[in-house]
Every structure is written in structure tokens, then in C-alpha cells.
Amino acid sequence: MASNIDPVVIPMIESNPNDLPGMDTSDQNTLTGEAVLSFHNIKYQETVQSGFPFHKKSFMIERLSNMNGIMKPGLNVIMGPQDGSRSLLLNVLAARTDPRGLSGDIFINGKPRPANFTCTSGYVPQNDIAMFTVTVRENVEFSAALRLPMTMARDEKRRRINEVLELLHLDKVSNVKPRSKELRKRTSIAMELVAEHPILFLDDPTTGLDLSTTTDVISILRRMSMRGRTIIFSIYRPPYSIFRLFDRLTLVASGKVMFHGPAQEALEYFKSAGYNYDSHNNPADFFLDIIDGGFSALFHSEEDGHEAGEHEELSERQHEVIEELVNMYAQSSLYRKMKTELDSFLGERKAGRSSALEIMCVTPFWHQLRWIFRRSFKNCLGFPRVTGIQAIVTALVAVIVGTVFLVLQNDCTAIQRRAALLFLLTSFECITGMTTGELFVIDSDRFIHEHISGYYRVSSYFLGKLLAELVPRRLFPSIIFTVIVFSIAGIKTDVKGFFTMIFTVMMLAYSASSLPLSIGAGENAAAIPTQFITIYFVFTMYITGLSLHPEDFLPEISWIQHFSIPHYGFTALLHNDLLGQNFCPEHKTAEISRCHNLVICTGEEFLTIQGIDLSSWGFWENHVALVCIMIILLSITYVQLLAFTKKRHF
């Protein structure tokens, strides 16, 4: 049927009425009670590019075509072959796809789907979002703390958490970390159930589970649906023991609907159309065999020499079968009955229509930050073996470096040796800082899901991850390396000089870490241009090393130092460590007099040769530069995260 409804273009925006603590959220759109979801003339198009990199052509392909249906309280199942249609339809209904290609109407209880629908409905993605470094209970508590209103009493939240854990048979393993596939799946469902949204979407919840676990999960969903929840999920080939639990079935293939109605009437529908059903056959297999045209087994039995031609012929035949099934359903009494019910929803719809998908949080910024910090810090501590190995390796490298500088001690080049040690420390901080680029990458799927579901704002997530994971990951290795090297190398300094050096090292470490973060935020790990980062640090460290030999340094490239993180860190370390130092004590006058080369005795003399300002500003200007670089790069990181949420809001 043709539709006269204009396409709905829903640009995604982010808003939060709770930027300030204590902000009232009573006016937020919420779904309460039973919910009926209806969709009318849904079409979904995607833009596809092909051709050479500089001569790409774009064209539109229709992924979903003229889809109509009603999802009522109970188990609503979307089933079909593995062509992507069933998951795409589920994600469209759940508002988890790019809305620019969507046209049609989606109603909740006869009213346009609210702008904050992703925050007022549950969604369990195919890839489980439960964090395996914290316990089952801690995962559910995190969801409850950020998705339930602040006005709810703590005892009520605890009661709801315990009830959900008991419902999903997680009460006895609530203090166990969800490392198995089954436990992660149950935990992911529990995180959505605790919010008590009337509609719950699940994308292939049985993927990767054995039959026993699959039956258990579907049985739990069945019990939830009997409490008035509208459960909508996609599935491929469920066995009969699971199929008999379904209330409503939607069969889709190639972006079109072949059946939509009561699941237990589907078998009689196809039998009445003339399809032969073997009583020993699984209904789900029977339906999918009809959609496939029964050609799968035939195709695999053909000889290899005719495979290509037969495949093309069978694909054309399968397309014809799908068109026949679509037309048969469009002429059926089931379709006419469904359309009559849909028309009643269309008659009740309001003139206005939600035009923007909004991310709305029910908790204030500082509350979100506290819980994100708590979970992220536990996640950071969740890899004790890796952390221990890193600490041991750092300590061993520090011992080797300190021993080498102790063995190579020479009174004639004491100040040069000290400068070389500081340069090595600078290099260590820059090289180890390159490993932080995955900080926002490894949790990107979880971040997108939780942000779109209204757990938290991007700002609270960004700051919480930095404080809870980046700070300790860079702080402790840097302190271990610095203390061990300087202790073994026999370098002595006062308390003020020591802590100033540690402060400078940390400023250098965080500035160096911000560069890979700014380039890799929101992208796949393989796409992070680590080669560019490596070239940058190698080149800038080489230029910084050349500055130790002014006679070899080219003034023409001195401007590069203004963009060099190692330069600012190394200069600050030299200023702090060498200023006021005397490397020609009276008791070593005889040894120094026998040196063949000119001996630099004071730190001031060396700093002057290097062109470093001896005033206090000559020290702090480097910190100001590092802070500015860090702020700029972290701002770029934050902007990339914001853009990432707009690009992948599903």
C-alpha cells in the first residue's frame, strides 16, 4: 500500500535537565503501565557508497519496505533468515538506528513515540554490555543508581534489585563476576529489568547459548511478559519447546513482512495456503524453509561446476517466493484485521509529532560522575595479573637503567650524565603514554548503549574514565620507574625537589597520554593511527636530544620545539634538577683537573648553554605549555566522543 505520510527525519540531540543537583525531573516523559507499540508504513533506507576512494558514487537501498504491525504485552517475536532484516526492524522500533533513513509512524499506546523513548524503554543488545570485572550485583546496582530517580528511597531500590536478581536466578551468584556467556546475558537483562520499563527489546538474546540456557532465558522472558510487559525480541531458529511460548510472531525476509499475528495461528495459516507440514517438523524450521523456498539443501547438492549459475538462478527463485509470500499475506484476513486496528491508532494520533530524539538523564551530573568513577576504578583493579606484570616489567627496566648509569659514573661528565638520565625519563613517559589510546575504545559499545539508554551524559563518562583509569594507570608506573632509577643511580635531591620532579613527570605523562586519546577516541582499535603517534614522539624526542649538543643543533628547526611535548617536559626536569647544583666539589678537584674536555661545574652554566631561562618562570612556563597542550587534546577527545554518539546512536 502506498503511504501519504511524509518521512520522519529525527535529528539526535542531547539534553539533561539535571545539570544542577536537585533539579526536578517530574515533567520528564515516562512510560507507565502496559504499552502497545504500533508501527505504520515503516520504510528504512541506507546510503551505500561504491567505487574508487576519490570517485565514489552514492545510492540508496531500501532495507525495510512498507512494514505494519502491532506489538502488545506478551512475547512478540521477530523471526526470519539471516539477512539482517529482523535485527534492523527491532532496532528501528527501539529507536536504535540512524533516523535519517526512516519514514513512517511508530506509536506507543496510540501516541507518537516520545522523543526520549530510548531512555524509557529497555534494550539488550546482542553483544552483552555487562562488565565482567565487577560482580553481577554491582552491574545491576550501577543501572539502578543511574536510571532510577533520586527521589526513590534507597530501601526501595535495594528491594527492586533483589527482586530482579531473584527473578533471573542470579541471587545465589550475585557476588560472582559474570565471565561466562550465560551469566553475562542474564546480567544484561537484569540491568534493563531493574528500570521497570514497560517495553523491553532484545536483539537475538539466545545467540551463543546452549539449549538449556536458551530455554531458561525465554522462560524468564515469558514470566516477565505475563506481568504486563511488552517483550519484543529477534530470534533465528528456535526449537519447538521455545516456539510454543511465543504470543505473537512476525516473519520478515528481504525487508518485508510475510506474516504478522498470533504465533500459534501461523502454522494453520501456511497449511491453509497449501504448504505441506510434517508433524515431526519444527514450526520455526518449517516457516524458514518456506521463506528460503526449500532450495538450501538443493543448492548444496549441486556439482561444483554449476554452482555459480545455480546460485544465481536459485536466488532469483527465492526472491519470487518472498514476493509471493508478501502478496499472500497482504491479501489475507490477518492483514485486514491488523490494518483495521492500526487505523484506529492513526485516527487517535495527535497533530504534533516528536521531531528530535533526546537523551534525558534522571540523575544529576555529580551523581553520575561518582558512580562512573566507582565502576571504572573497580574495572581498573579488575586485571591484577596484567597490572602486576606491568609493575614488574617497569621495575626491572628501572633497575637496569639505574645500574647502567651507576656503572658509567664519570666525574668529568657528571652533568651530561644527569641530563641524559632526565632525557631517558622523558622518553619513558612519552613511550608508555602511547598505550593509553584504547581507553575509550575498548568500552565503546557499552558506552554507546548506556549513553543512549539515559545512564549518563558524555561529560560525566569522559571525566569519570579519566580520573578513575587514566590517572592511576599513568601515576603508579611513573613513580615506580622514577624512584627506582634515581635511587640506584645515586642521585640525591631534597624533599621539595623530589616532589616537584614527580609533579613534572606526571604533567609530562598526562600530556603525552592525551595525544593518542585525541586521535583514537570513538574509533576502532585497529583504526587508531599509532604509527603517526610513534613518528611524532620519535621525531620530537630526536629534536629534543639534539638540543643537548648545541653545536649540532640546527636553528632552522627550533620552531618545532613549540609543538613538542618532550621538549617542555625535558626542559622542566632540567630546570628543577640542575638549578643550584655543583658538580665540581672541592674534594674532587684533582680528578676533575685531569679531565681532557671542558668540565661544566654548575647547573646554571649548563642551563645557560641550553638557552633555558633561570628564573622561576623559566620552570613554570613549561608546565603552562603542557597544561595547554593537554587541555586542547582532551577537548578534541571530548568532541570526538560527542561526534561518536551522533554517528553510532544504536
Side-chain angles (χ1 to χ4, degrees), residues 34-305:
E34 294 186 354
V36 177
L37 183 149
S38 59
F39 50 102
H40 311 249
N41 300 314
I42 292 297
K43 295 182 180 180
Y44 191 81
Q45 294 180 323
E46 286 185 351
T47 302
V48 178
Q49 293 184 337
S50 63
F52 297 102
F54 298 102
H55 298 280
K56 287 187 177 181
K57 296 182 179 180
S58 299
F59 58 93
M60 302 291 292
I61 59 172
E62 192 169 79
R63 297 286 307 278
L64 299 180
S65 176
N66 195 31
M67 287 193 161
N68 299 271
I70 303 174
M71 304 294 189
K72 299 180 180 179
L75 281 187
N76 300 269
V77 181
I78 303 174
M79 195 167 68
Q82 293 179 314
D83 61 358
S85 295
R86 63 177 190 272
S87 290
L88 180 58
L89 175 59
L90 180 86
N91 290 330
V92 166
L93 299 180
R96 302 275 171 164
T97 56
D98 187 348
R100 288 173 295 184
L102 176 65
S103 65
D105 289 284
I106 299 176
F107 292 153
I108 307 297
N109 292 334
K111 299 179 181 179
R113 186 175 61 185
N116 64 334
F117 184 68
T118 59
C119 304
T120 56
S121 61
Y123 180 85
V124 180
Q126 190 173 144
N127 297 324
D128 303 316
I129 46 85
M131 186 171 285
F132 65 87
T133 52
V134 298
T135 65
V136 171
R137 178 175 291 275
E138 288 170 339
N139 273 291
V140 181
E141 286 178 345
F142 180 81
S143 177
L146 296 181
R147 303 177 78 184
L148 298 179
M150 299 284 290
T151 54
M152 181 179 289
R154 184 175 301 179
D155 292 339
E156 173 62 19
K157 291 182 180 180
R158 189 179 297 112
R159 182 200 63 78
R160 186 177 293 190
I161 291 171
N162 292 333
E163 183 179 284
V164 169
L165 292 175
E166 184 178 355
L167 175 65
L168 292 168
H169 307 307
L170 292 171
D171 48 327
K172 295 182 180 180
V173 292
S174 61
N175 295 319
V176 176
K177 295 179 179 180
R179 298 187 180 277
S180 67
K181 177 71 175 179
E182 173 194 356
L183 202 53
R184 286 199 305 272
K185 181 64 69 177
R186 290 175 182 268
T187 305
S188 298
I189 296 175
M191 293 175 69
E192 298 303 313
L193 286 186
V194 75
E196 289 196 350
H197 295 314
I199 301 180
L200 175 63
F201 299 90
L202 304 98
D203 187 9
D204 280 358
T206 61
T207 300
L209 303 180
D210 56 34
L211 179 59
S212 175
T213 305
T214 297
T215 304
D216 199 15
V217 168
I218 299 300
S219 298
I220 292 172
L221 295 177
R222 175 68 177 174
R223 290 201 301 271
M224 290 163 43
S225 68
M226 295 176 68
R227 297 184 178 187
R229 300 278 186 93
T230 302
I231 311 295
I232 306 172
F233 64 93
S234 58
I235 198 168
Y236 179 46
R237 285 182 180 267
Y240 176 72
S241 60
I242 292 177
F243 178 83
R244 63 187 180 86
L245 300 176
F246 299 162
D247 293 314
R248 274 163 293 280
L249 174 66
T250 303
L251 288 176
V252 297
S254 299
K256 300 178 181 179
V257 177
M258 267 134 285
F259 177 86
H260 178 76
Q264 305 311 317
E265 296 181 12
L267 189 59
E268 185 61 32
Y269 169 81
F270 284 103
K271 287 169 63 178
S272 64
Y275 291 96
N276 296 322
Y277 173 70
D278 186 348
S279 59
H280 298 288
N281 194 9
N282 175 23
D285 292 335
F286 174 61
F287 301 146
L288 292 179
D289 286 343
I290 292 175
I291 294 174
D292 290 336
F295 301 126
S296 298
L298 176 63
F299 171 72
H300 289 296
S301 65
E302 294 292 332
E303 297 181 2
D304 293 341

Side-chain angles (χ1 to χ4, degrees), residues 507 568 617 619-630:
M507 290 298 300
Y568 292 115
W617 173 245
F619 172 74
W620 290 109
E621 67 176 349
N622 297 286
H623 289 78
V624 171
L626 290 175
V627 169
C628 291
I629 291 174
M630 182 167 54

Side-chain angles (χ1 to χ4, degrees), residues 176 307 400 437 642:
V176 176
E307 227 174 70
I400 294 173
L642 285 176

Side-chain angles (χ1 to χ4, degrees), residues 249-472:
L249 174 66
T250 303
L251 288 176
V252 297
S254 299
K256 300 178 181 179
V257 177
M258 267 134 285
F259 177 86
H260 178 76
Q264 305 311 317
E265 296 181 12
L267 189 59
E268 185 61 32
Y269 169 81
F270 284 103
K271 287 169 63 178
S272 64
Y275 291 96
N276 296 322
Y277 173 70
D278 186 348
S279 59
H280 298 288
N281 194 9
N282 175 23
D285 292 335
F286 174 61
F287 301 146
L288 292 179
D289 286 343
I290 292 175
I291 294 174
D292 290 336
F295 301 126
S296 298
L298 176 63
F299 171 72
H300 289 296
S301 65
E302 294 292 332
E303 297 181 2
D304 293 341
H306 303 282
E307 227 174 70
E310 291 292 335
H311 178 70
E312 183 177 352
E313 181 180 343
L314 293 177
S315 296
E316 293 178 0
R317 175 56 185 153
Q318 185 176 5
H319 177 73
E320 294 176 0
V321 169
I322 291 176
E323 290 298 325
E324 292 175 2
L325 293 173
V326 171
N327 293 331
M328 183 179 74
Y329 170 66
Q331 298 172 6
S332 67
S333 59
L334 274 174
Y335 180 79
R336 291 193 296 271
K337 182 180 178 181
M338 182 268 298
K339 284 293 291 181
T340 301
E341 191 171 359
L342 279 179
D343 291 340
S344 66
F345 287 119
L346 285 172
E348 297 174 1
R349 70 177 180 178
K350 295 182 179 180
R353 181 183 298 171
S354 176
S355 60
L357 179 60
E358 300 180 8
I359 306 302
M360 302 179 67
C361 305
V362 299
T363 55
F365 170 83
W366 294 110
H367 180 78
Q368 298 169 16
L369 179 62
R370 181 165 64 89
W371 277 91
I372 293 171
F373 179 88
R374 179 187 299 182
R375 187 182 69 167
S376 297
F377 189 71
K378 289 181 179 180
N379 179 60
C380 188
L381 299 177
F383 303 93
R385 177 177 297 181
V386 175
T387 304
I389 293 175
Q390 290 176 345
I392 292 173
V393 171
T394 300
L396 288 176
V397 173
V399 169
I400 294 173
V401 171
T403 303
V404 169
F405 275 87
L406 179 63
V407 171
L408 297 178
Q409 186 172 0
N410 188 335
D411 294 329
C412 297
T413 58
I415 196 168
Q416 288 85 354
R417 187 175 63 92
R418 179 78 67 92
L421 185 59
L422 294 174
F423 178 74
L424 186 61
L425 176 60
T426 302
S427 302
F428 173 81
E429 297 301 332
C430 292
I431 293 173
T432 54
M434 294 167 55
T435 62
T436 60
E438 82 286 354
L439 182 65
F440 294 107
V441 175
I442 55 178
D443 278 342
S444 59
D445 291 338
R446 183 181 297 111
F447 160 62
I448 289 295
H449 168 75
E450 292 177 346
H451 170 65
I452 299 302
S453 300
Y455 281 71
Y456 44 70
R457 302 189 67 201
V458 176
S459 56
S460 55
Y461 172 80
F462 174 73
L463 188 57
K465 288 280 285 186
L466 289 181
L467 294 177
E469 295 195 37
L470 181 63
V471 170

